[in-house]
Amino acid sequence: MRRMSGFNMIALTLGFAFLYIPMVILVIYSFNESKLVTVWAGFSTKWYGSLAQNQQFLDAAWVTLRVAFFSSTIATVLGTMAAYALIRSGRFLGRTLFSGMIYAPLVMPDVITGLALLLLFISIGLDRGILTLVLAHTTFAMCYVSVVVSSRLMTFDLSLEEAARDLGCTAAEAFRLVTLPIIAPAVISGWLLAFTLSLDDLVIASFTSGPSSTTLPIKIFSSVRLGVSPEINALSTIMIGIVAVGVLAASLVSKRSLVKRQADEAAAVRAEAA
Amino acid sequence: MIRFENVTKRFGSFVAIDNLSLDIYEREFFALLGPSGCGKTTMMRMLAGFENPSEGNIELDGADIVDVPPNKRAVNMMFQSYALFPHLSVHDNIAFGLKREGMAKDKISARVAEMLRLTRLEKFASRKPHQISGGQRQRVALARSLAKAPKLLLLDEPLGALDKKLREETQFELMDIQEKTGTTFVIVTHDQEEAMTVASRVAVMDAGVLKQVATPSQIYENPNSRYVADFIGDVTILEGRARKEGNRYELAWADGQPPIVAQSALEIGPGDTCYYAIRPEKVEIHHDKPEDDNVLQGKVIDIGYLGNISTYHVQLANGQTIRAQNFNTERSTQQAFTWDDTVWVNWTDRCGILLAN
Ligand SMILES: Nc1ncnc2c1ncn2[C@@H]1O[C@H](COP(=O)(O)OP(=O)(O)OP(=O)(O)O)[C@@H](O)[C@H]1O
Ligand SMILES: [Mg+2]
């Protein structure tokens, strides 16, 4: 490996320090013995224990997980279908408009998305609860999924689908038997991304959740207003862990299929030479 | 067996296939030959069902197939890029079409085993496509498209990615397989040697139209136009005016040069412009003036040494170059002719061909 120049080293250190010092502090204080957040009084895991006793937090966690699971699953199905239609259907009237529109929610401020959804739910008389949360999260996560999947489909060799058709598949069978298995890594990382986005979301959730469906981020946010407790630190540490695992898994899934492929190809070349 | 009837294919305003009619017969090895962009792949895609003609019909065994979707046609295609399914093993790739057919399990494995044997891939059955070499991939693609025993097999530049030696081997394998299975093959290529080697009939295409459809030897020895003569093999083409002289034509083609005499069944009016094509291997080269129907004097300006033969570029007094080929039958590093030698080239009246256009 090439040695890094001094400047690069400093830039990298500063960048990472900026990103991670706040989180590291939070993690450290979650193991603090003292009830006072800013005073270090020795190592302890007791806050994790008391967290496990806190029914309110456990309920919120359960809501969050359910919402994340359902919304990311629905978003993955819809997002994949949207991506497929946009990439495959060739030029149809207004295609550019549609592909632009699918990206728009990505840059839309969450507050506006949340407000719009809230107005929608009120106007159709839908009571706010888990259902509205799932719908709201599906809406914005779907865009992320379709971006991930469509970038994979962009490089997908169309002749593979034609070959499947040629060998007796209907268009739907060709998608199920050939396209889907091949783009599966992208679909899975889309799902993981959608899942972590839903776990994280505070703004949209606060517009669309009801009293019976408080999510963890909302719970944390509202408890912090009464003062930061070490329990919150412990909870946040767990969430950081889950999100980190999710994001890492998403990138590993796509990375691993690539690496495996390269290793296989290298092996084939070596076998050839021998 | 296949009939194209006045088929036209347009992409927007661009005409890719222009009012083309063609018959391909049962058990034939038919080659489509032409420069890049002339519409070969488009023809194949219409046969496979991925494109519909803008006008005209395509018949397979007497039935119009234009509205039949690709999965319902007894036609299989071997793709230019092979299009092997990367997530399936070699075995499953070959079995793919059979499973779609709903064939019984034991029959499938028997058929796949047969295909693996035919293409000598037994050892690689459990590998994935990216774990085998290019030549092996190409054979998997062939096995996959043959497995369903289609009436018609389409091969779009199947050997494009192979090196010369492997390509020649595979050409003979293809011919072998075609004979064994009795399938009708249509092959696309822009390698004229390949077309001549494998095919029983060749169609030469240019910009969406068929220039000539004939056996390889007819195409080579009796091209019907300058385009075909020039496209297939090496040729010198001269332009002039022909005059009938008994059963032969005399072609006045340059001032200060004797006319070229040629036998031809062609009807050419006196004074009409016509063309004369002569292939280098038909032209002899001598130091002393020989006796022949056509004898011209010139100077050697270039020599192409190919080992078994040498091609001499002989420039005549009027600047025209005629190419002559000589077999190097004697083993010596000393060439019989060298640069700037004054030489005679000669050929009989039956060696060249007179062309009207
Ligand atoms: N889908 C399409 N849309 C527009 N034009 C097309 C399309 N497919 C092919 N063409 C045009 O039709 C012409 C014929 O294309 P085709 O692919 O049949 O050529 P080809 O003879 O197979 O050439 P090559 O030897 O390079 O493969 C080309 O000029 C190409 O640009
Ligand atoms: Mg082509």
Side-chain angles (χ1 to χ4, degrees):
Chain A
M1 213 205 268
R2 221 156 49 92
R3 280 202 47 180
M4 257 191 280
S5 75
F7 174 75
N8 280 354
M9 199 71 149
I10 292 169
L12 200 68
T13 314
L14 278 179
F16 273 94
F18 202 78
L19 282 174
Y20 288 100
I21 283 180
M23 281 191 239
V24 170
I25 289 177
L26 186 143
V27 172
I28 291 173
Y29 274 105
S30 76
F31 294 105
N32 192 356
E33 172 78 45
S34 161
K35 185 152 180 61
L36 295 168
V37 179
T38 46
V39 183
W40 182 255
F43 181 85
S44 153
T45 53
K46 74 174 184 200
W47 300 115
Y48 288 87
S50 83
L51 191 65
Q53 307 296 320
N54 189 327
Q55 195 54 43
Q56 278 188 341
F57 276 134
L58 289 181
D59 288 346
W62 180 229
V63 167
T64 309
L65 284 177
R66 272 186 301 166
V67 167
F69 177 79
F70 287 114
S71 68
S72 59
T73 306
I74 302 171
T76 302
V77 174
L78 292 179
T80 304
M81 275 164 39
Y84 188 77
L86 283 175
I87 301 277
R88 275 295 174 276
S89 50
R91 310 245 131 248
F92 63 85
L93 201 65
R95 180 188 139 145
T96 322
L97 185 67
F98 273 110
S99 36
M101 272 162 67
I102 207 124
Y103 293 102
L106 293 184
V107 291
M108 194 71 75
D110 283 354
V111 185
I112 294 177
T113 312
L115 187 62
L117 285 162
L118 176 64
L119 289 177
L120 172 74
F121 294 143
I122 290 172
S123 65
I124 61 174
L126 202 58
D127 278 340
R128 278 174 289 156
I130 299 235
L131 177 64
T132 50
L133 261 178
V134 170
L135 289 177
H137 282 179
T138 304
T139 311
F140 86 97
M142 186 190 131
C143 311
Y144 288 88
V145 174
S146 90
V147 168
V148 173
V149 173
S150 63
S151 73
R152 173 67 187 87
L153 278 174
M154 222 87 88
T155 60
F156 184 85
D157 182 5
L158 238 185
S159 63
L160 287 174
E161 266 176 36
E162 286 181 345
R165 300 269 286 137
D166 189 59
L167 293 166
C169 285
T170 62
E173 285 171 333
F175 178 76
R176 185 167 55 85
L177 294 170
V178 173
T179 313
L180 197 55
I182 296 171
I183 63 167
V187 174
I188 292 171
S189 53
W191 185 88
L192 286 166
L193 187 62
F195 189 84
T196 47
L197 283 172
S198 169
L199 281 189
D200 278 355
D201 171 65
L202 169 65
V203 179
I204 293 176
S206 56
F207 278 100
T208 54
S209 69
S212 64
S213 60
T214 309
T215 65
L216 265 188
I218 297 180
K219 187 78 204 157
I220 294 172
F221 188 70
S222 56
S223 336
V224 166
R225 277 193 288 193
L226 309 174
V228 181
S229 79
E231 242 177 14
I232 297 279
N233 285 347
L235 182 62
S236 307
T237 303
I238 293 172
M239 282 190 69
I240 289 175
I242 293 175
V243 171
V245 168
V247 172
L248 216 65
S251 66
L252 277 185
V253 166
S254 43
K255 185 86 175 277
R256 205 193 52 168
S257 61
L258 188 76
V259 169
K260 182 163 174 295
R261 207 188 155 93
Q262 282 168 345
D264 283 344
E265 265 161 20
V269 169
R270 257 181 279 121
E272 196 83 347
Chain B
M1 175 179 153
I2 301 161
R3 165 162 292 169
F4 282 83
E5 238 172 23
N6 304 102
V7 172
T8 297
K9 174 72 192 176
R10 289 189 209 91
F11 294 108
S13 61
F14 177 80
V15 182
I17 302 291
D18 193 1
N19 193 20
L20 180 149
S21 297
L22 171 67
D23 279 303
I24 298 173
Y25 309 117
E26 191 102 36
R27 290 176 165 253
E28 191 168 35
F29 204 138
F30 191 88
L32 280 174
L33 189 57
S36 190
C38 70
K40 305 178 298 283
T41 299
T42 307
M43 296 273 287
M44 296 293 234
R45 292 174 60 81
M46 287 196 291
L47 278 174
F50 300 126
E51 304 279 3
N52 277 336
S54 314
E55 280 163 34
N57 332 328
I58 302 172
E59 284 176 12
L60 178 65
D61 278 343
D64 193 336
I65 55 166
V66 168
D67 295 324
V68 181
N71 48 325
K72 297 266 161 51
R73 296 189 184 193
V75 174
N76 283 131
M77 177 145 163
M78 179 178 160
F79 288 75
Q80 191 162 359
S81 56
Y82 308 151
L84 298 178
F85 305 130
H87 59 300
L88 299 179
S89 66
V90 167
H91 178 283
D92 292 347
N93 261 282
I94 299 173
F96 190 89
L98 303 172
K99 282 189 190 146
R100 291 291 96 210
E101 251 177 9
M103 193 187 252
K105 268 232 168 73
D106 50 331
K107 274 199 180 155
I108 291 182
S109 44
R111 180 74 181 151
V112 173
E114 189 188 336
M115 287 298 121
L116 288 170
R117 208 168 332 107
L118 188 69
T119 48
R120 295 187 277 127
L121 284 166
E122 293 103 325
K123 277 193 289 182
F124 307 103
S126 58
R127 298 243 195 123
K128 292 276 178 67
H130 57 267
Q131 294 168 320
I132 55 180
S133 75
Q136 291 158 353
R137 263 177 238 175
Q138 180 262 324
R139 297 213 295 274
V140 177
L142 180 65
R144 188 180 67 178
S145 50
L146 271 173
K148 288 183 78 175
K151 284 185 195 161
L152 172 64
L153 183 68
L154 306 172
L155 305 136
D156 192 355
E157 302 201 25
L159 314 180
L162 305 184
D163 63 59
K164 190 170 158 55
K165 194 153 172 292
L166 196 56
R167 188 156 69 214
E168 281 169 6
E169 272 178 37
T170 319
Q171 284 168 3
F172 287 105
E173 255 173 59
L174 274 183
M175 292 160 70
D176 211 37
I177 289 172
Q178 197 259 345
E179 250 165 56
K180 272 189 207 151
T181 57
T183 312
T184 308
F185 277 34
V186 178
I187 187 172
V188 158
T189 170
H190 50 220
D191 176 351
Q192 42 125 340
E193 249 176 66
E194 183 169 297
M196 309 285 278
T197 311
V198 298
S200 50
R201 276 199 314 154
V202 176
V204 180
M205 288 184 72
D206 179 32
V209 296
L210 289 177
K211 285 293 191 178
Q212 188 170 8
V213 183
T215 63
S217 64
Q218 276 173 328
I219 293 251
Y220 189 77
E221 301 295 356
N222 286 308
N224 65 0
S225 60
R226 269 182 301 159
Y227 181 83
V228 175
D230 199 27
F231 193 77
I232 309 282
D234 229 357
V235 73
T236 306
I237 293 179
L238 306 172
E239 182 180 339
R241 290 171 200 287
R243 190 162 51 82
K244 195 137 189 170
E245 197 60 39
N247 61 347
R248 311 197 295 188
Y249 281 97
E250 273 190 9
L251 183 84
W253 64 280
D255 290 337
Q257 293 287 348
I260 287 168
V261 287
Q263 292 190 12
S264 176
L266 220 59
E267 281 306 323
I268 294 168
D272 286 355
T273 300
C274 62
Y275 304 92
Y276 183 75
I278 179 78
R279 300 209 182 266
E281 74 275 9
K282 308 246 181 347
V283 179
E284 288 177 33
I285 180 168
H286 293 282
H287 280 301
D288 304 315
K289 183 171 183 177
E291 273 299 313
D292 211 336
D293 298 322
N294 297 298
V295 180
L296 299 171
Q297 191 182 31
K299 203 170 67 176
V300 176
I301 56 162
D302 216 344
I303 303 174
Y305 177 71
L306 293 175
N308 56 342
I309 50 176
S310 295
T311 305
Y312 300 95
H313 296 238
V314 176
Q315 192 170 48
L316 309 184
N318 68 337
Q320 173 71 43
T321 312
I322 302 244
R323 271 167 292 174
Q325 265 172 5
N326 230 13
F327 275 100
N328 297 322
T329 44
E330 278 178 42
R331 201 172 143 261
S332 98
T333 50
Q334 189 69 41
Q335 294 280 308
F337 305 94
T338 175
W339 284 272
D340 291 334
D341 276 4
T342 300
V343 294
W344 296 89
V345 288
N346 63 292
W347 63 93
T348 70
D349 58 1
R350 290 175 35 221
C351 285
I353 178 156
L354 217 50
L355 301 164
N357 56 53

